[in-house]
């Protein structure tokens, strides 16, 4: 699948929208243009840990723009 959006690097450091650092919950922010077209946007997720273990999920998140 092609990528038409920037790569995101989630944080677990209490910054960048992450509430509590080192809790194992990672946060990434994506800003949507105010002129984004109404409809569903499907977000694929790929993750790799420091040991090189990988996981991927297509359409892991569905963002619905309504207005």
């Amino acid at each position: 699948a092609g990528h038409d959006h920037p790569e995101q690097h989630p944080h677990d450091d209490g910054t960048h929208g992450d509430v509590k650092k080192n809790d194992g919950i990672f946060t990434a922010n994506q800003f949507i243009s105010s002129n984004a077209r109404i409809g569903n946007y499907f977000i694929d997720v790929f993750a790799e840990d420091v040991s090189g273990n990988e996981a991927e999920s297509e359409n892991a998140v569905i963002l619905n723009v309504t207005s």
Side-chain angles (χ1 to χ4, degrees), residues 24-66:
I25 299 173
F26 291 76
T27 304
N29 294 311
Q30 178 65 50
F31 295 97
I32 306 299
S33 171
S34 61
N35 63 355
R37 291 178 25 192
I38 293 174
N40 290 328
Y41 292 82
F42 300 90
I43 302 171
D44 300 336
V45 175
F46 173 83
E48 181 178 2
D49 66 15
V50 294
S51 299
N53 299 304
E54 300 177 348
E56 184 172 5
S57 180
E58 290 187 19
N59 302 329
V61 178
I62 301 173
L63 173 67
N64 180 265
V65 176
T66 58

